[in-house]
Amino acid sequence: MKRGESPQRGKRTGFTTGACAAAAARAAITSLRNGTVPQQVAVLLPNGAVVTFAVAEGSCTPTTARCVVIKDAGDDPDCTHGARLTAVVQRLPDPIGAVMLRGGEGVGVVTRPGLGTPVGEPAINPTPRANILENIRAAAGTILEQAGLEVTLSIPGGEELARRTLNARLGITGGLSILGTTGIVYPYSTAAYKEAVRQSVHAAAAMGLPAVVLTTGRRTERFARGILVDLPESAFIQMGDFVGAALESVAATGMPQVIVAAMAGKLAKIGQGVANTHAHKVPLDMERVAYLAATVGAGAAELEQIRTGITVRHAADILAKKGLTPVFYQRLVSDVITALYQRLPPSTRLEVLAFDAEGLLLAHIKAPTP
């Protein structure tokens, strides 16, 4: 990049809540050790990189210190961008050498098993927890030879921000989760959302649910819940575009049954075998849509129109003139089932529901029981 140029919009990376919490904690420990608040602090991230964070504010006394690091999510559309990750460190007379990590205002509490953190503990995931403790011990110097430390992490306003996440459905109450497997947020990767999808599947398995319903959004969940009325809310998981992550978690937990509910366009992409169905990641393969149409009897003229189109809905409208739309959707869903079994154990019971934008059920197929 030439001097004076700014990074291309949409490309700038950011930092996870876990990395920012580690930075705030390390800054607070440094303040306690040195008696002055640093302007910046170097932090070891879970991926092994060392990154310098600015300290937005802080204070210290001989026994306590408080520091704030403001989260920069880069160009990722993360609701926690700008959140004030705050750490308060207090020196304790005993137990010498111990570090106790607490959750304060705006940090959620785990209320269900299966999330990787014990019930009743603050929602600090295992990787960031280990990284925060590693940074605390690295910065403590001789303090831990003489005393113990209590470190309380908080996110002012976190309870309000958590309403824009999946935490309530996961069973995390009162605030946000502190997340991050690498410390880095990549633009539009929505790493936190992907992690929430994984946690949702693991939580459903820990609860002993017989099935999970993977939907691509709020509307498809609403449509699916209107049909699958016997399943509890916790069985419904909005996987968004993260098909691969959701199915990997299903396979890892041994969930016995999976129901996928989506609209036809997303299903066509799933049938292509992609792990992420976002439009920026992979285009819809209209040649493949035309192939499916050909297998149900579409003629040359219809196939040419489908190939030059851009949506499955347009293809269905073309096929409607020959009465082929119902059988086309059945063929599409069958294709999706074949693709899904590439990522699932063959023993998994699988069914797929296809909806239109108004909630009309276009096709519903249950794979043969293994």
Side-chain angles (χ1 to χ4, degrees), residues 24-185:
R26 187 154 188 161
I29 293 291
T30 302
S31 303
L32 188 65
R33 187 190 68 210
N34 296 339
T36 58
V37 177
Q39 293 184 334
Q40 58 185 29
V41 62
V43 177
L44 176 67
L45 299 186
N47 67 0
V50 176
V51 175
T52 299
F53 289 79
V55 179
E57 64 179 75
S59 61
C60 64
T61 72
T63 58
T64 64
R66 173 183 176 273
C67 284
V68 176
V69 169
I70 298 175
K71 178 175 175 177
D72 179 2
D75 288 333
D76 201 57
D78 190 328
C79 73
T80 61
H81 177 74
R84 299 171 67 82
L85 276 293
T86 305
V88 174
V89 178
Q90 182 174 1
R91 188 193 298 258
L92 301 175
D94 59 73
I96 292 172
V99 178
M100 289 172 281
L101 197 58
R102 313 288 193 199
E105 174 195 357
V107 174
V109 175
V110 174
T111 65
R112 292 180 188 165
L115 298 178
T117 301
V119 171
E121 290 291 310
I124 305 171
N125 273 21
T127 296
R129 177 184 287 269
N131 182 242
I132 291 165
L133 291 172
E134 182 180 20
N135 277 280
I136 290 170
R137 292 189 175 277
T142 60
I143 293 177
L144 289 173
E145 296 175 6
Q146 307 158 6
L149 292 170
E150 181 181 69
V151 181
T152 302
L153 302 174
S154 61
I155 310 173
E159 186 168 6
E160 179 64 29
L161 289 173
R163 293 179 183 143
R164 296 159 61 185
T165 73
L166 297 177
N167 275 15
R169 181 168 296 187
L170 284 170
I172 297 171
T173 62
L176 293 163
S177 303
I178 294 181
L179 304 168
T181 55
T182 65
I184 302 294
V185 171

